[in-house]
């Protein structure tokens, strides 16, 4: 129920304070609208939202302090409603003359019914409540998305553009229906309505655009420009949207014929390249500006594959619509003509685009790259890939946190790789050549004149060549550790204690030898296992052997620089896929076991004895499936356990269903 409960509109003369309702008044746009209305001083504001109470911030939040003062002086009140319940809305809007309606934007997009009930049914309820309570004006916060089909450019589009009823996403479709209902309700039962269509709203506290861009930047995807990067877009600073609402309320009185029953585009009147805007925001927050162009159709296909994977894995966390919407916005031109709003509702932006961007960047400083959370990919949470790499310098390099550093390391590794492996020399002569080269360069540098024409040649300080005692001790310790470990493995192999490892090493050595011969002997093939094409003919043999080896070595070089990066981007997808593949291979393996064994494993009620204790097969499952065993070992253990079970069954008189044998 409204706290103030006044019917002042009906009693107070025109020109004094009027009562208005801001439905969705604790939301992003709603808060800004409430603050602006209270600052104007012409209104008694009833904040209506789904929260139990106002929940005012305790710190010095500007908007909340204005509202706190207004509540204390009786100029503002709060009322809790659910827009799906007509009776609640009737109580909330009773006695007001204007209703500003902004509905939720954080809707459960996978649930059509819930979205429909909030957007469309909610709009019907608000209209009916306004009629019932004789509210004079209803101003609906729509969106420019209602005329966008997700694929065609809109250049300087105005209100004459027809609604095509083809939408890129469900929310825009439902919002278009709600907007149509609001406009259709105009002038029925004395209610005047209009709708505002802001385009790409942003500003301090933005819950959609800026957080999405930051997330993109932290995951590394903001490096890419989708499409040509030349597409133009209109953006609207949030305060300008709320200003437009207040202008519309005034205009519904003064310019009734031109405004009532109409929709108006609202923008900052400063169209910019979409990627220019994104770059301003990202650079302002310390992130790299997007620079690599990728055709939009490739991104769309990748997104479809990701969607398909999520569907297969039954993942509910992934929101395809949000990513798809961003791709459409990011690759199409969407500019709107705002002259109708300027002419009929007297709108003009109160905050310029440049100031709006500056204020927004300031307000999101906690999400900036240098903030304590800047290194992490998921708002304070360390990624698995980063944990796996030890969160140190190696992680920073392999996860491309600093492109320059990573690129330098990669180039250095490539050079070493070619120097040592593909030069055709032995390791010792490659090392000797490298040392000779370094010594020659250093000698040459030391003998350079201190100044060559206008360039100074700084001397390299001697400290560069010093190695600290600790580093020497650490590296010796590492060498000693590796040496001891190698010796232990050798001892195991020599004593024949680990035949698996013995054969693995033999196989590896054999393949290595074959490939070395392939490279060195220039045409000689040993028909190695590695070179699958080795048997085809001596002409092709060398090529295949060489190129395969070359490819493998290259892959080994590129792998760490790509695999961890890709894993970080698609952590949940890759984990999910691995789990699915693991369970599939587990199922496949079980299907190859004899039926008697699988029935023992699958039957929950099977009992057997182990070390004299009766155990059910749950324990067996846990032991077998959670152990990190190699497939061969795994199979052997299953067989052994199953045969034990069969033995036990007869020895202890249990049936496979756990009942006693007769
Ligand atoms: N934020 C943007 O960038 C943007 C851009 C263009 C258009 N819009 C549109 O403006 C509108 C408002 O956007 P926002 O970002 O301020 O949304 P928001 O989600 O921040 O605020 C909506 C408010 O509605 C309340 N609410 C949710 N469910 C309700 C229910 N069943 N009954 C009553 N109240 C309920 C929420 O508590 C919230 O306070 C949305 O329709 C959105 O589509 C937003």
């Amino acid at each position: 129920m409204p706290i103030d409960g006044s019917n002042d509109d009906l009693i107070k003369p025109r020109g004094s304070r009027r009562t208005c309702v801001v439905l969705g008044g604790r939301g992003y746009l709603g808060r800004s609208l409430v603050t602006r209305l209270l600052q104007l001083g012409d209104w008694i504001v009833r904040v209506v939202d789904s929260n139990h109470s106002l929940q005012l911030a305790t710190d010095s939040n500007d908007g909340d302090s204005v509202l706190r003062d207004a509540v204390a002086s009786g100029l503002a009140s709060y009322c809790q409603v659910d827009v799906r319940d007509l009776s609640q809305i009737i109580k909330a809007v009773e006695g007001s003359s204007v209703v500003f309606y902004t509905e939720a934007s954080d809707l459960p997009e996978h649930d059509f019914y819930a979205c429909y009930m909030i957007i469309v049914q909610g709009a019907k309820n608000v209209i009916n409540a306004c009629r019932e309570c004789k509210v004079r004006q209803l101003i609906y916060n729509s969106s420019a998305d209602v005329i966008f089909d997700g694929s065609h450019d809109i250049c300087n589009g105005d209100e004459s553009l027809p609604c095509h009823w083809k939408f890129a996403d469900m929310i825009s479709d439902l919002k278009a229906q709600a907007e149509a209902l609001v406009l259709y309700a105009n002038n029925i039962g004395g209610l005047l309505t209009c709708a505002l269509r802001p385009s790409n709203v942003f500003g301090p506290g933005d819950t959609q655009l800026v957080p999405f861009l930051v997330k993109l930047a932290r995951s590394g995807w903001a490096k890419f420009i989708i499409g040509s990067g030349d597409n133009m877009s209109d953006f609207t600073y949030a305060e300008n949207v709320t200003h437009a609402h207040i202008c519309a309320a005034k205009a519904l009185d003064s310019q009734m014929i031109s405004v009532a029953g109409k929709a108006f585009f609202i923008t900052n009147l400063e169209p910019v390249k979409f990627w220019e805007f994104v770059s301003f925001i990202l650079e302002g927050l310390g992130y790299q500006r997007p620079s690599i162009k990728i055709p939009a159709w490739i991104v769309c296909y990748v997104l479809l594959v990701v969607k398909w994977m999520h569907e297969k894995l039954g993942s509910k966390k992934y929101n395809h619509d949000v990513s798809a919407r961003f791709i459409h916005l990011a690759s199409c031109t969407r500019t709107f003509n705002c002259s109708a709003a300027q002419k009929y509702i007297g709108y003009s932006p109160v905050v310029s685009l440049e100031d709006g961007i500056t204020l927004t960047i300031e307000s999101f400083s906690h999400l900036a790259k240098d903030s304590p959370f800047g290194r992490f990919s998921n708002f304070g949470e360390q990624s698995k890939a980063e944990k796996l790499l030890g969160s140190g310098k190696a992680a920073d390099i392999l996860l491309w946190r600093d492109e320059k550093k990573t690129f330098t390391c990669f180039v250095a590794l490539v050079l070493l790789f070619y120097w040592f492996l593909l030069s055709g020399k032995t390791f010792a002569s490659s090392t000797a050549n490298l040392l000779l080269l370094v010594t020659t360069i250093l000698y040459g540098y030391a003998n350079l004149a201190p100044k060559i024409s206008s360039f100074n040649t700084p001397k390299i300080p001697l400290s560069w060549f010093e190695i600290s005692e600790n580093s020497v001790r650490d590296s010796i310790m590492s060498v000693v550790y590796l040496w001891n470990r190698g010796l232990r493995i050798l001892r195991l192999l020599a004593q024949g204690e680990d035949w698996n490892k013995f054969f693995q090493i033999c196989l590896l050595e054999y393949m290595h030898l074959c490939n070395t011969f392939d490279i060195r002997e220039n045409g000689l093939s040993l028909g190695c296992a590695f070179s699958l094409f080795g048997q085809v003919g001596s002409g092709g043999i060398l090529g295949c052997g060489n190129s395969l080896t070359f490819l493998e070595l290259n892959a080994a070089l590129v792998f760490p620089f790509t695999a961890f990066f890709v894993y970080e981007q698609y952590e949940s997808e890759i984990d999910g896929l691995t789990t699915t593949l693991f369970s599939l291979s587990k199922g496949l393996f079980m299907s190859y076991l004899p039926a008697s064994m699988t029935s023992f494993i699958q039957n929950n009620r099977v009992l057997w004895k182990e070390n004299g204790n009766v155990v059910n097969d749950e324990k067996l499952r846990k032991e077998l499936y959670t152990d990190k065993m190699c497939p061969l070992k795994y199979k052997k253990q299953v067989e052994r356990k199953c045969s034990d079970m069969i033995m036990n069954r007869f020895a202890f008189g249990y049936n496979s269903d756990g009942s006693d044998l007769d």
Side-chain angles (χ1 to χ4, degrees):
M1 271 295 288
I3 298 169
D4 68 323
S6 61
N7 221 354
D8 47 7
D9 254 350
L10 308 174
I11 323 159
K12 282 185 184 174
R14 206 177 169 82
S16 63
R17 282 187 171 134
R18 295 197 291 163
T19 297
C20 68
V21 164
V22 181
L23 236 163
R26 293 305 284 158
Y28 168 52
L29 284 176
R31 279 169 195 252
S32 167
L33 180 57
V34 167
T35 310
R36 182 107 186 119
L37 285 163
L38 289 172
Q39 280 168 341
L40 284 175
D42 303 338
W43 301 86
I44 290 169
V45 182
R46 202 175 292 160
V47 182
V48 177
D49 206 295
S50 57
N51 304 329
H52 289 292
S53 61
L54 266 178
Q55 295 165 355
L56 293 167
T58 43
D59 56 10
S60 59
N61 179 318
D62 260 4
D64 276 4
S65 66
V66 172
L67 182 55
R68 190 181 295 111
D69 293 348
V71 171
S73 59
L75 290 176
S77 58
Y78 181 71
C79 181
Q80 185 200 354
V81 299
D82 183 336
V83 282
R84 290 167 290 190
D85 186 336
L86 177 62
S87 61
Q88 287 183 19
I89 309 175
I90 290 178
K91 282 180 194 163
V93 303
E94 223 166 14
S96 63
S97 62
V98 180
V99 170
F100 297 99
Y101 179 33
T102 70
E103 86 267 283
S105 57
D106 57 341
L107 292 160
E109 299 194 23
H110 55 274
D111 186 346
F112 172 79
Y113 180 72
C115 293
Y116 178 86
M117 286 306 286
I118 291 175
I119 302 178
V120 182
Q121 189 58 45
K124 282 183 196 168
N125 289 344
V126 172
I127 293 164
N128 288 334
C130 288
R131 278 201 199 129
E132 177 115 5
C133 299
K134 305 271 178 279
V135 172
R136 179 101 177 108
Q137 300 171 359
L138 169 62
I139 295 143
Y140 176 60
N141 186 78
S142 180
S143 166
D145 296 347
V146 298
I147 57 140
F148 181 53
D149 66 3
S151 57
H152 293 100
D153 289 346
I154 300 172
C155 299
N156 204 29
D158 63 16
E159 290 76 6
S160 65
L161 277 175
C163 184
H164 40 69
W165 296 104
K166 261 196 230 155
F167 300 95
D169 59 277
M170 176 186 72
I171 301 292
S172 303
D173 186 346
L174 295 177
K175 273 192 84 80
Q177 293 183 40
E179 186 201 87
L181 284 169
V182 169
L183 297 181
Y184 190 70
N186 179 55
N187 223 1
I188 302 175
L191 178 67
L192 300 177
T193 67
C194 78
L196 301 180
R197 295 171 173 172
S199 169
N200 297 337
V201 182
F202 74 100
D206 174 12
T207 49
Q208 295 180 4
L209 191 60
V210 178
F212 186 83
L213 294 179
V214 171
K215 208 172 167 186
L216 223 74
R218 288 183 173 180
S219 64
W221 286 113
K223 288 183 189 74
F224 303 106
I225 292 174
I226 304 169
S228 67
D230 293 329
N231 52 308
M232 302 290 287
S233 261
D234 262 315
F235 292 86
T236 323
Y237 188 66
E239 213 176 308
N240 293 333
V241 181
T242 54
H243 171 62
H245 276 73
I246 297 165
C247 291
K250 285 184 188 151
L252 272 175
D253 282 331
S254 57
Q255 294 254 32
M256 197 190 86
I257 294 174
S258 317
V259 178
K262 306 262 170 32
F264 298 93
F265 287 113
I266 304 294
T267 71
N268 246 70
L269 303 174
E270 292 171 84
V272 282
K273 283 186 181 171
F274 181 88
W275 289 99
E276 199 75 16
F277 179 87
V278 171
S279 302
F280 284 145
I281 296 280
L282 291 182
E283 268 187 338
L285 290 172
Y287 298 98
Q288 190 193 357
R289 64 187 287 141
S291 52
I292 307 163
K293 292 180 184 172
I294 303 187
W297 63 267
I298 293 186
V299 184
C300 288
Y301 278 121
V302 171
L303 202 70
L304 281 178
V305 173
V306 172
K307 186 186 174 195
W308 175 81
M309 269 169 60
H310 278 280
E311 280 171 2
K312 287 281 161 218
L313 299 173
S315 161
K316 284 189 180 151
K317 273 196 232 162
Y318 174 70
N319 193 336
H320 175 77
D321 273 5
V322 173
S323 313
R325 203 176 303 145
F326 179 75
I327 291 173
H328 296 144
L329 284 181
S331 55
C332 292
T333 283
R334 283 184 11 142
T335 55
F336 301 97
N337 186 333
C338 230
S339 40
Q342 286 177 289
K343 189 172 172 191
Y344 298 118
I345 66 173
Y347 164 78
S348 64
V350 284
V351 180
S352 70
L353 191 70
E354 196 184 335
D355 291 349
I357 291 174
T358 311
L359 291 167
T360 307
I361 291 168
E362 275 170 20
S363 79
F364 278 100
S365 57
H366 58 290
L367 295 185
K369 198 178 178 201
D370 300 330
S371 77
F373 298 128
R375 308 170 26 83
F376 303 139
S377 57
N378 224 351
F379 293 87
E381 204 185 304
Q382 235 177 336
S383 70
K384 273 192 197 166
E386 192 168 356
K387 277 186 204 158
L388 214 71
L389 292 166
S391 320
K393 278 185 186 159
D396 283 350
I397 290 172
L398 293 179
L399 295 173
W400 293 80
R401 301 272 191 250
D402 181 346
E403 280 82 3
K404 260 190 214 154
K405 220 191 244 175
T406 308
F407 190 69
T408 314
C409 282
F410 182 72
V411 170
L413 269 178
V414 169
L415 289 177
L416 285 177
F417 164 76
Y418 281 95
W419 188 275
F420 281 98
L421 296 176
L422 293 185
S423 60
K425 294 174 196 145
T426 62
F427 182 76
S429 61
S430 292
T431 315
N433 279 348
L434 187 68
L435 284 175
L436 187 67
L437 183 74
V438 173
T439 316
T440 315
I441 292 173
L442 285 176
Y443 181 76
Y445 189 79
N447 285 309
L448 277 182
K451 197 163 182 170
I452 301 171
S453 69
S454 60
F455 293 108
N456 286 329
T457 50
K459 291 288 162 210
I460 303 175
L462 266 180
S463 60
W464 277 35
F465 302 98
E466 283 169 9
I467 306 174
S468 75
E469 216 176 299
N470 279 347
S471 325
V472 175
R473 194 176 297 130
D474 286 350
S475 30
I476 290 177
M477 291 289 279
S478 315
V479 172
V480 170
Y481 170 76
L482 284 175
W483 177 264
N484 286 342
R485 209 166 152 227
L487 274 186
R488 221 177 13 254
I489 294 175
L490 270 179
R491 193 164 48 85
L492 281 177
L493 292 176
Q495 290 171 354
E497 284 179 17
D498 193 338
W499 288 103
N500 268 346
K501 195 155 267 155
F502 178 76
F503 286 122
Q504 276 171 21
I505 288 178
C506 284
L507 192 73
L508 270 174
E509 275 305 307
Y510 175 67
M511 288 186 315
H512 177 239
L513 271 175
C514 294
N515 284 288
T516 316
F517 268 103
D518 267 355
I519 296 171
R520 299 277 162 83
E521 298 302 315
N522 206 16
L524 173 69
S525 168
L526 299 179
C528 65
F530 229 49
S531 175
L532 294 173
F533 311 101
Q535 314 292 335
V536 179
S538 73
I541 292 164
L542 170 70
C544 291
N546 267 342
S547 63
L548 210 64
T549 312
F550 180 77
L551 277 180
E552 282 152 15
L553 292 172
N554 268 318
L557 198 65
V558 172
F559 182 77
F561 287 88
T562 47
F564 291 107
F565 179 74
V566 171
Y567 180 55
E568 190 175 51
Q569 313 306 316
Y570 290 104
E571 200 175 274
S572 55
E573 289 86 348
I574 293 173
D575 283 353
L577 193 69
T578 317
T579 317
T580 315
L581 288 178
F582 180 67
S583 43
L584 272 177
S585 52
K586 202 169 76 185
L588 215 68
F589 168 66
M590 293 288 279
S591 68
Y592 281 113
L593 281 180
S596 59
M597 289 187 185
T598 46
S599 77
F600 269 100
I601 295 170
Q602 278 159 2
N603 188 344
N604 273 331
R605 299 190 60 207
V606 171
L607 298 171
W608 79 94
K609 281 210 166 185
E610 198 177 76
N611 302 329
N613 300 318
V614 176
V615 183
N616 70 23
D617 85 316
E618 255 332 286
K619 191 181 167 207
L620 171 79
R621 278 170 191 238
K622 271 187 200 144
E623 257 177 54
L624 293 178
Y625 296 152
T626 56
D627 251 16
K628 284 176 186 154
M629 292 178 281
C630 70
L632 193 67
K633 205 171 166 188
Y634 173 73
K635 194 178 166 200
K636 269 190 193 156
Q637 197 142 351
V638 173
E639 281 168 359
R640 211 185 59 234
K641 283 276 179 195
C642 289
S643 58
D644 282 355
M645 283 159 64
I646 297 165
M647 294 286 287
N648 282 330
R649 184 184 147 199
F650 291 109
F652 297 99
Y654 294 113
N655 270 327
S656 63
D657 64 353
S659 60
D660 285 345
L661 281 172
D662 290 332

